[in-house]
Amino acid sequence: MNRICLHRSRLALAATAALVFAGSGMAATMNKATYEAGRQRIVASYEADRKACSQTSGDAQDLCLARASGKEKVARAQLAFDRSGKASDHHALAVAMADADESVAQQACKAKAGQARDVCQAEAKATHTKALADATLARKVGRARSDAMSDKRDAEYQLADEKCDSLAGDAKTACTDSAKTRYGKR
């Protein structure tokens, strides 16, 4: 069970990391009505999941409720990221996924006893720590990539500006204006 959660967590984090590598600033395209409809779907899904959990009892019910709660938190984080496209919301989504996986894994560990329970809990904690580290790494790599792109653009602009200095009059003005436009310096 923990291996399934770990696999799902790694796949999800890899997919979200790919979004960071592709460009951390996705354009927010969700209008208020779409956002509100998504929020209502999440609430309705959570209520349906809780209702389904009420048909079980004991450890099975606790595990079901942990899954429902985790699913809701991840869905809310995904909705926030879809709405804003911000790197901070992307990181919050990765953290929500890690937290949800740990909560489910810890709940599953409660059904075990003795050493098996201790190992299960340690594995759940280690998996959570790894997922958080992956999320932090993805955020830092995204920032570093953005900084590197900015530095590269600045260097290219300085080179173009140097080339424009060899010109005179209107040609120099046109060259400088073109360089400013091309490298986002306006």
Side-chain angles (χ1 to χ4, degrees), residues 93-111:
L93 171 60
V95 169
M97 292 168 64
D99 290 348
D101 284 348
E102 183 193 27
S103 177
V104 170
Q106 289 286 0
Q107 198 60 48
C109 292
K110 288 184 179 180

Side-chain angles (χ1 to χ4, degrees), residues 83-124:
R83 184 176 190 193
S84 72
K86 294 180 182 177
S88 61
D89 286 336
H90 176 264
H91 180 73
L93 171 60
V95 169
M97 292 168 64
D99 290 348
D101 284 348
E102 183 193 27
S103 177
V104 170
Q106 289 286 0
Q107 198 60 48
C109 292
K110 288 184 179 180
K112 298 178 180 182
Q115 181 66 21
R117 182 179 191 166
D118 294 343
V119 169
C120 181
Q121 289 174 334
E123 183 180 336

